[in-house]
Amino acid sequence: MAKTNPGRFFEDYRLGETIVHAVPRTVSGGERALYHALYPARHALASSDEFARACGLGAAPMDDLITFHTVFGKTVPDISLNAVANLGYAEGHFRVPVAAGDTLRSESEVIGLKQNSNGKSGVVYVRTTGRNQRDEVVLDYVRWVMVRKGDLDAPAPETVVPELAAVVPASELVVPTGLNFSGYDFALAGEPHRWGDYEIGEQIDHVDGVTIEEAEHMLATRLWQNTAKVHFDATFRPDGQRLIYGGHVISMARALSFNGLANAQMIVGLNAGAHANPCFAGDTVKAWSEVLDKAETSAPGVGAIRLRLVATKGGDPFRLKGEDGKYLPEVLLDLDYWALMPL
Amino acid sequence: MAKTNPGRFFEDYRLGETIVHAVPRTVSGGERALYHALYPARHALASSDEFARACGLGAAPMDDLITFHTVFGKTVPDISLNAVANLGYAEGHFRVPVAAGDTLRSESEVIGLKQNSNGKSGVVYVRTTGRNQRDEVVLDYVRWVMVRKGDLDAPAPETVVPELAAVVPASELVVPTGLNFSGYDFALAGEPHRWGDYEIGEQIDHVDGVTIEEAEHMLATRLWQNTAKVHFDATFRPDGQRLIYGGHVISMARALSFNGLANAQMIVGLNAGAHANPCFAGDTVKAWSEVLDKAETSAPGVGAIRLRLVATKGGDPFRLKGEDGKYLPEVLLDLDYWALMPL
Amino acid sequence: MAKTNPGRFFEDYRLGETIVHAVPRTVSGGERALYHALYPARHALASSDEFARACGLGAAPMDDLITFHTVFGKTVPDISLNAVANLGYAEGHFRVPVAAGDTLRSESEVIGLKQNSNGKSGVVYVRTTGRNQRDEVVLDYVRWVMVRKGDLDAPAPETVVPELAAVVPASELVVPTGLNFSGYDFALAGEPHRWGDYEIGEQIDHVDGVTIEEAEHMLATRLWQNTAKVHFDATFRPDGQRLIYGGHVISMARALSFNGLANAQMIVGLNAGAHANPCFAGDTVKAWSEVLDKAETSAPGVGAIRLRLVATKGGDPFRLKGEDGKYLPEVLLDLDYWALMPL
């Protein structure tokens, strides 16, 4: 057993250390096709080379969430194998689109540590950076997780909680080089609604729903080389259920949001995210969005829109938290992100 | 809800109008691999670049049904979101094979309208055209669907029912440029039976069966960007069942027909088709074929064969309709198509 | 029914005959992506073009088991459609890695025949050879299967049982041209353990488990164009269960063995293999390995390690056979192979 990876415990992290994650991964049209099979993804920029070229890109980029999942998946064996909970995301920047043929790798810097008062676990804050084969940063983001202690007698580290931006400022958003929406084809994209048609505070029920199967979420989670046992092994949890990777719900909700947000083409910022309740096979996932903010960019015809994306497994849309301030039991995901949209 | 697509109702169609469908899609080796994973597809021409080159093509084309599903899937949000029934197909021509890297888009022209006598729905006839990035027509076909009226008070349009050919004439079949079966390798293709070995009226039981899973038909249907709720959402129908996309049954039956029709390499004409009964997960699909006609072509070594392809979920082969003239309850599909076969 | 393939019966094989198998197949990034979705495969060499280039290869090769399954799948219609049991493997040599874009085909030579004393079946020994489009042998191996007689009155052939090596000698292992592990990046590969860290007799529990779904094993088995009815048709066996293709268990176990054997990068020899008990959907597959031997190679920094890979569906690790010398009921697979590992 000595040669297998037991995962890190809370006391194994050192503030400031950098962890190089295995395993680099080359993505291709195969990953793109699987993404379209796993999720009802229809955003035109990631679907069509021709549409992407008409928008100034060389070819259709991989869906931004392929980038996210690939970068994230590599961190699991080092960051969250012994995690009790995935607590949050912040300061996510999608910096360079990923193309077929690119090879991605990840590393994480430990930027905060805080032992819990019970002495049995602690919170680890990491900034994860994904790079392509040209050493360009394709994505970086902060994530914090609660991790068990392996040795309860290990001394508590100095508490350092990083100051994190509540929202990625619009000025920090990176518009892909060459992106130009001035000749954007709304008919091919699927909806006529442009940046100016959305109002801050507006809510959109995306209407469609997808009932999730075990085979699907496992195919997806393996594809991103996420190794957490709880997603794959029906004998692991006492209730015999496999917990669905939170990222599967993110992608499902994002894809469902096409219906009403077809022109929110690229994710460029990840402001915050909470996996409010667990998702299991048999749940029917639906989604709704709320416009949180809007901003201009310097790219021709390109605006930025800040959206709350909520995934649910039942219940009415637009309901998020109860009177106690806690997420309602049917809420699966509360994600806050920036996307690019034609003006 | 105003920004989501409610789908069109019967009164929203105008005779002669052209509907440009979203979303263009670039296909690759990923779509090809998924097709082989979803269906027991073995026809050599679409499986092997080398085999295709030996037959005069530049590389293995995408399975013709990848073309069909991709072109068809785009029409769903505009044509069949509020459809009560998919009534028929006619005049389908596969004109140019699709290669990895091609980008497909679709548009449909409304060629017929007929309100039902009950005033609650009507039949919409469209001719759908799929094009590649070079504006070449890869596929066109006529489909007619029964669509609900949204406003029962909307006036009935003038009734126009297009005259449709019962069968695509052999003279209209388009053999792909360069196709040459004179050096065809029957051993690699899998069966020795050539065009001359099939007799009109001959029936073939394809023997093999595949039991269908929810995950599989949803992966397939999403891959073609078909968005009809009934395929994905177990809460949508009162019985909690997800209806399987009829095209999934077409592909399953066509792939099963390899066993006995391994040399019916390419689909070039779609004469007619009926989804006789619904298919659900757990059904075991089998298939049988009947030779309806044969024709020569001008391409070297290439003959055309017209086939009835019937998919069933139980029962004996070669039984299609009862004494009342209606499809037997175990019949899922009755498809009439032209394929190319070595002489 | 005359045109469908009934499969060969024992009396249909002739010693020394060569059977050309249909259907050639071009593999691409699509097959690679699906392999990563179907199995928790993480070996870096097959995952990353950049990692493979740093090891002297032109690009990431297909996982060696993609090669095995593709070559094997083609033999099923000719060798094992009427097989009662898949009895063993021997003398497997992986000779040339397979790259995206390669087209594979297979042929088998009948090298042994032995009718069983009951007169109802016999054992057929074949040496199967897989070649790429350049006629290079990518893989050859011996397999023997028990096949039913179709005509019980057919005379028994002369008994010829080939002499097969118990183990592929280390001197016969083919290291891919250019492979060089002297600059091997252990951090990116995922584990620090090198060839010298493993001792003969050492046992490794790979810890992780995957619960198998019907949709997954059928997707995989179709992808390799394996047509055996028993894997797909729930009406075929009296118990209504679909038997899982033994190769699916091989790939699952090999992928699970990453955890503890991350640096056993390439499979180069297949010494022996037994599918000890059947696997069905719902089983949770785990794996353990034992180091059987070690050898040096002439390639820079490259050692060879001989491993027993055991897949189980429950029970404790490191238990293989009972006091009666038979495999324990929870053992699914007992595979003996050679892999390459950095010194």
Side-chain angles (χ1 to χ4, degrees):
Chain A
M1 307 252 290
K3 286 197 169 70
T4 56
N5 176 21
R8 285 171 169 239
F9 294 94
F10 179 67
E11 68 271 18
D12 297 327
Y13 294 92
R14 296 289 170 268
L15 192 74
E17 76 172 318
T18 294
I19 302 169
V20 174
H21 305 299
V23 177
R25 172 69 167 276
T26 304
V27 295
S28 78
E31 278 74 12
R32 184 199 310 273
L34 266 164
Y35 196 85
H36 280 95
L38 289 162
Y39 310 108
R42 298 182 70 218
H43 287 92
L45 207 62
S47 177
S48 165
D49 282 348
E50 302 299 314
F51 192 95
R53 283 175 194 135
C55 294
L57 304 182
M62 293 283 143
D63 191 291
D64 311 296
L65 292 173
I66 293 181
T67 305
F68 176 78
H69 296 314
T70 304
V71 170
F72 180 101
K74 299 185 189 331
T75 71
V76 169
D78 298 313
I79 306 297
S80 45
L81 215 56
N82 297 311
V84 184
N86 197 18
L87 297 172
Y89 304 97
E91 298 188 359
H93 303 80
F94 292 78
R95 297 183 186 276
V96 173
V98 172
D102 282 357
T103 300
L104 302 186
R105 59 189 208 280
S106 304
E107 61 181 42
S108 296
E109 184 188 355
V110 179
I111 62 169
L113 290 170
K114 180 174 182 293
Q115 183 165 310
N116 288 330
S117 54
N118 64 12
K120 295 182 178 170
S121 58
V123 179
V124 180
Y125 296 79
V126 294
R127 186 180 305 274
T128 295
T129 303
R131 286 189 175 81
N132 64 21
Q133 71 278 11
R134 293 181 299 276
D135 270 336
E136 297 164 336
V137 175
V138 296
L139 168 67
D140 52 54
Y141 64 92
V142 172
R143 173 164 80 118
W144 54 109
V145 293
M146 191 183 302
V147 181
R148 280 195 297 276
K149 290 187 75 169
D151 171 10
L152 296 187
D153 296 330
E158 184 190 0
T159 292
V160 174
V161 174
E163 280 191 44
L164 298 170
V167 178
V168 175
S171 60
E172 284 186 10
L173 299 176
V174 181
V175 179
T177 304
L179 192 72
N180 183 335
F181 281 162
S182 45
Y184 190 92
D185 188 326
F186 289 86
L188 285 183
E191 290 182 351
H193 323 302
R194 49 183 81 218
W195 186 82
D197 297 329
Y198 291 87
E199 289 180 26
I200 295 174
E202 181 174 351
Q203 293 179 317
I204 302 158
D205 177 4
H206 300 301
V207 180
D208 304 310
V210 173
T211 306
I212 295 192
E213 299 294 313
E214 298 281 15
E216 292 169 2
H217 76 83
M218 293 200 295
L219 287 168
T221 309
R222 279 190 294 252
L223 188 59
W224 321 124
Q225 297 178 312
N226 178 332
T227 59
K229 291 178 185 64
V230 73
H231 305 316
F232 301 110
D233 182 347
T235 69
F236 190 73
R237 284 167 55 107
D239 64 4
Q241 288 193 291
R242 279 162 273 180
L243 184 67
I244 291 176
Y245 162 50
H248 191 63
V249 178
I250 294 177
S251 277
M252 193 60 81
R254 163 72 177 158
L256 288 169
S257 79
F258 177 91
N259 198 350
L261 284 167
N263 296 319
Q265 288 285 359
M266 300 191 88
I267 300 179
V268 286
L270 180 59
N271 300 310
H275 299 290
N277 285 289
C279 182
F280 300 104
D283 288 345
T284 298
V285 176
K286 297 193 174 191
W288 57 270
S289 292
E290 181 178 352
V291 179
L292 297 178
D293 201 0
K294 296 169 64 177
E296 298 186 351
T297 81
S298 60
V302 180
I305 186 167
R306 185 182 152 211
L307 296 158
R308 159 173 280 156
L309 173 61
V310 177
T312 64
K313 52 175 176 180
D316 294 323
F318 313 136
R319 299 179 66 233
L320 193 64
K321 295 183 179 178
E323 292 183 2
D324 57 3
K326 293 183 179 169
Y327 285 110
L328 294 169
E330 70 266 25
V331 173
L332 298 169
L333 171 75
D334 180 13
L335 193 79
D336 180 339
Y337 72 102
W338 282 105
L340 299 180
M341 189 176 259
L343 295 177
Chain B
M1 308 253 287
K3 287 198 169 68
T4 56
N5 176 20
R8 284 171 171 239
F9 294 94
F10 178 69
E11 68 271 20
D12 298 327
Y13 295 91
R14 295 288 169 269
L15 192 74
E17 76 173 318
T18 294
I19 303 169
V20 174
H21 306 299
V23 177
R25 171 71 167 275
T26 305
V27 295
S28 79
E31 278 74 12
R32 183 198 310 273
L34 266 164
Y35 196 84
H36 280 95
L38 289 162
Y39 310 108
R42 298 181 70 219
H43 287 92
L45 207 63
S47 177
S48 164
D49 282 348
E50 301 300 315
F51 192 94
R53 283 175 196 135
C55 294
L57 304 182
M62 293 283 144
D63 190 290
D64 311 295
L65 292 174
I66 293 181
T67 305
F68 176 77
H69 297 314
T70 304
V71 170
F72 181 100
K74 299 185 189 330
T75 71
V76 169
D78 298 313
I79 306 297
S80 46
L81 214 57
N82 297 311
V84 184
N86 197 18
L87 298 172
Y89 304 96
E91 298 189 359
H93 303 80
F94 293 77
R95 297 182 186 278
V96 174
V98 172
D102 282 357
T103 299
L104 303 186
R105 60 188 207 282
S106 304
E107 60 182 42
S108 296
E109 183 187 355
V110 179
I111 61 168
L113 290 170
K114 178 175 183 295
Q115 183 164 312
N116 288 328
S117 54
N118 64 12
K120 295 181 178 171
S121 57
V123 179
V124 180
Y125 296 78
V126 293
R127 187 181 305 273
T128 296
T129 303
R131 287 190 174 80
N132 64 20
Q133 71 278 10
R134 293 182 298 275
D135 270 338
E136 297 165 335
V137 175
V138 297
L139 167 67
D140 52 56
Y141 63 93
V142 171
R143 172 163 82 116
W144 55 107
V145 294
M146 191 185 301
V147 180
R148 279 195 297 275
K149 291 188 74 169
D151 172 10
L152 297 187
D153 296 330
E158 185 190 1
T159 292
V160 174
V161 175
E163 280 189 45
L164 298 171
V167 178
V168 175
S171 60
E172 284 187 9
L173 300 176
V174 182
V175 180
T177 305
L179 191 73
N180 182 336
F181 281 163
S182 45
Y184 191 91
D185 188 328
F186 289 86
L188 284 183
E191 290 183 352
H193 323 302
R194 52 183 78 217
W195 185 81
D197 297 328
Y198 291 88
E199 289 179 28
I200 295 174
E202 180 175 352
Q203 293 181 316
I204 302 159
D205 177 4
H206 300 300
V207 180
D208 304 310
V210 172
T211 307
I212 295 193
E213 299 294 314
E214 298 282 15
E216 292 169 3
H217 76 82
M218 292 200 296
L219 286 168
T221 309
R222 280 189 293 253
L223 187 60
W224 320 125
Q225 298 180 313
N226 178 332
T227 59
K229 292 177 184 64
V230 72
H231 306 315
F232 301 109
D233 182 347
T235 68
F236 190 72
R237 282 167 57 107
D239 65 3
Q241 288 193 290
R242 279 163 273 179
L243 185 67
I244 291 176
Y245 162 49
H248 190 63
V249 178
I250 295 176
S251 276
M252 193 61 81
R254 162 73 178 158
L256 289 169
S257 79
F258 177 90
N259 198 350
L261 283 166
N263 297 319
Q265 286 288 359
M266 300 191 88
I267 299 178
V268 285
L270 180 60
N271 301 310
H275 300 289
N277 285 288
C279 182
F280 300 104
D283 288 344
T284 298
V285 176
K286 297 194 174 190
W288 58 270
S289 292
E290 181 178 352
V291 179
L292 297 177
D293 201 359
K294 294 168 67 177
E296 299 187 351
T297 81
S298 60
V302 180
I305 186 167
R306 184 182 154 211
L307 296 158
R308 160 174 279 156
L309 172 62
V310 177
T312 65
K313 52 176 176 180
D316 295 322
F318 312 135
R319 299 180 67 235
L320 192 64
K321 295 183 178 177
E323 293 184 3
D324 57 2
K326 293 184 179 169
Y327 285 110
L328 294 169
E330 69 266 26
V331 173
L332 298 170
L333 172 75
D334 180 13
L335 193 78
D336 180 340
Y337 71 102
W338 282 105
L340 299 181
M341 189 177 260
L343 295 178
Chain C
M1 308 251 291
K3 287 197 169 70
T4 57
N5 176 20
R8 285 172 171 238
F9 294 95
F10 179 67
E11 68 271 19
D12 298 327
Y13 295 93
R14 296 289 169 269
L15 192 73
E17 76 171 319
T18 294
I19 302 169
V20 174
H21 305 299
V23 176
R25 172 70 167 274
T26 305
V27 295
S28 77
E31 278 74 12
R32 184 199 310 275
L34 266 164
Y35 196 85
H36 280 95
L38 289 162
Y39 310 108
R42 298 181 70 219
H43 288 92
L45 207 61
S47 176
S48 164
D49 282 348
E50 302 299 316
F51 192 94
R53 283 175 194 135
C55 294
L57 304 182
M62 293 283 142
D63 191 291
D64 310 296
L65 293 173
I66 292 180
T67 305
F68 176 78
H69 296 314
T70 304
V71 170
F72 179 101
K74 298 184 191 329
T75 71
V76 169
D78 298 312
I79 306 297
S80 45
L81 213 57
N82 297 311
V84 184
N86 197 17
L87 297 172
Y89 304 97
E91 299 189 358
H93 303 80
F94 291 79
R95 297 184 186 277
V96 173
V98 172
D102 282 357
T103 300
L104 302 186
R105 61 187 206 281
S106 303
E107 60 183 42
S108 296
E109 183 188 354
V110 179
I111 62 168
L113 289 171
K114 180 175 182 293
Q115 183 164 311
N116 288 329
S117 54
N118 65 11
K120 296 182 179 170
S121 58
V123 180
V124 179
Y125 296 78
V126 294
R127 187 181 305 275
T128 296
T129 302
R131 287 189 173 81
N132 64 21
Q133 71 279 12
R134 292 181 299 276
D135 270 336
E136 297 165 336
V137 175
V138 297
L139 167 67
D140 52 55
Y141 64 93
V142 172
R143 172 163 82 116
W144 55 107
V145 293
M146 190 184 301
V147 180
R148 279 194 297 276
K149 289 187 75 169
D151 172 9
L152 296 186
D153 296 329
E158 185 189 0
T159 292
V160 174
V161 174
E163 280 190 45
L164 297 170
V167 177
V168 175
S171 60
E172 284 186 10
L173 300 176
V174 182
V175 179
T177 305
L179 191 72
N180 183 336
F181 281 164
S182 46
Y184 190 92
D185 188 327
F186 289 85
L188 284 183
E191 290 183 352
H193 323 302
R194 51 182 80 217
W195 185 82
D197 296 329
Y198 291 87
E199 290 179 26
I200 295 174
E202 181 175 351
Q203 292 180 317
I204 302 158
D205 177 5
H206 300 301
V207 180
D208 304 309
V210 172
T211 306
I212 295 193
E213 299 294 315
E214 298 283 15
E216 292 169 4
H217 76 82
M218 292 200 296
L219 287 168
T221 308
R222 278 188 294 253
L223 187 60
W224 320 125
Q225 297 179 313
N226 177 332
T227 58
K229 292 177 184 65
V230 73
H231 306 315
F232 301 109
D233 182 347
T235 68
F236 190 71
R237 282 167 56 106
D239 65 3
Q241 288 194 290
R242 278 162 274 179
L243 184 67
I244 291 176
Y245 162 50
H248 191 63
V249 178
I250 294 176
S251 277
M252 193 59 82
R254 162 72 178 158
L256 288 169
S257 79
F258 177 92
N259 198 350
L261 283 167
N263 296 319
Q265 287 287 358
M266 299 191 90
I267 299 178
V268 286
L270 180 59
N271 301 309
H275 299 291
N277 284 289
C279 182
F280 299 104
D283 288 345
T284 297
V285 176
K286 297 194 174 189
W288 58 270
S289 292
E290 180 179 352
V291 180
L292 297 178
D293 200 359
K294 296 168 65 177
E296 298 187 351
T297 82
S298 60
V302 179
I305 186 166
R306 185 181 153 212
L307 295 158
R308 160 173 279 156
L309 172 62
V310 177
T312 65
K313 53 176 176 179
D316 294 322
F318 312 136
R319 299 179 67 234
L320 192 63
K321 295 183 178 177
E323 293 182 2
D324 57 2
K326 293 184 180 169
Y327 284 110
L328 294 170
E330 69 266 25
V331 173
L332 298 169
L333 172 75
D334 180 13
L335 193 79
D336 180 340
Y337 71 102
W338 282 105
L340 300 179
M341 189 177 259
L343 296 177

